[in-house]
């Protein structure tokens, strides 16, 4: 029997503007890539905490998780602390994942300008939006 523990999986992505469509698209893509890179199933998620910078208020990023079928996953949204000079237009997430995967084997996802937050963890090729959207449509509930 595998030894399940709750692990944190981090993700962040930026948007170009404060709009509902940009927030939902970026969040959906970030979450889908996190799921794909780590073989995460929504049923194994204990919860997710989203934060946005103060310049984003057009939509709750958690709505994108619901669009992916995360109906039973507890979700929470809040604001990131405003620190002078910090990255603007940024959506962050911390997933709490019940898994037997060791912490050092977890793939955190930092996309677009958010790659600057953790350059040591950004080993992904450039994001192909069309390919990722096709994967979402094939593998996740909408």
């Amino acid at each position: 029997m595998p030894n399940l523990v709750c692990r944190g999986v981090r993700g962040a992505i930026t948007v170009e503007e404060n709009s509902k469509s940009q927030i939902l698209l970026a969040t959906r893509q970030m979450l889908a890539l996190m799921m794909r890179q780590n073989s995460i199933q929504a049923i194994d998620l204990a919860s997710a905490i989203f934060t946005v910078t103060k310049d984003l208020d057009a939509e709750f990023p958690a709505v994108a998780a619901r669009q992916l079928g995360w109906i039973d996953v507890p979700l929470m949204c809040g604001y990131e602390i405003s620190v002078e000079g910090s990255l603007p237009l940024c959506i962050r997430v911390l997933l709490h994942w019940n898994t037997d995967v060791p912490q050092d084997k977890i793939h955190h996802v930092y996309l677009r300008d958010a790659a600057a937050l953790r350059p040591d963890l950004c080993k992904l090729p450039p994001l192909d939006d069309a390919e990722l959207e096709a994967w979402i449509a094939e593998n996740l509930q909408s």
Side-chain angles (χ1 to χ4, degrees):
M1 180 95 179
N3 185 24
L4 290 181
V5 294
C6 190
R7 301 275 190 214
V9 187
R10 287 294 322 259
I13 192 168
T14 54
V15 294
E16 294 178 9
E17 65 184 19
N18 180 28
S19 72
K20 179 178 181 175
S21 62
Q22 287 260 322
I23 291 168
L24 292 177
L25 176 65
T27 305
R28 185 174 63 247
Q29 290 180 340
M30 173 183 61
L31 294 174
L33 198 55
M34 293 171 75
M35 294 178 77
R36 187 161 97 175
Q37 292 291 317
N38 292 288
S39 298
I40 295 172
Q41 300 296 315
I43 195 167
D44 296 324
L45 291 172
S47 63
I49 300 173
F50 296 88
T51 64
V52 295
T53 48
K54 297 269 186 185
D55 48 10
L56 294 178
D57 62 5
E59 183 59 275
F60 296 104
V63 170
R66 297 289 185 227
Q67 291 175 338
L68 292 176
W70 297 16
I71 305 306
D72 296 323
V73 179
L75 306 174
M76 180 181 236
C77 296
Y79 281 117
E80 188 70 23
I81 297 170
S82 292
V83 175
E84 188 175 332
S86 62
L87 185 64
L89 300 168
C90 188
I91 303 161
R92 294 171 172 88
V93 67
L94 173 60
L95 302 181
H96 300 108
W97 178 33
N98 296 311
T99 183
D100 60 353
V101 175
Q103 188 71 46
D104 65 346
K105 300 297 184 202
I106 291 175
H107 301 282
H108 305 278
V109 173
Y110 292 83
L111 301 166
R112 302 183 186 154
D113 291 345
L117 297 171
R118 290 298 304 265
D120 56 317
L121 298 178
C122 296
K123 299 174 184 135
L124 294 172
L127 183 63
D128 180 339
D129 287 352
E131 188 277 331
L132 186 57
E133 287 298 320
W135 184 88
I136 291 169
E138 184 177 321
N139 293 281
L140 302 174
Q141 287 182 296
S142 294

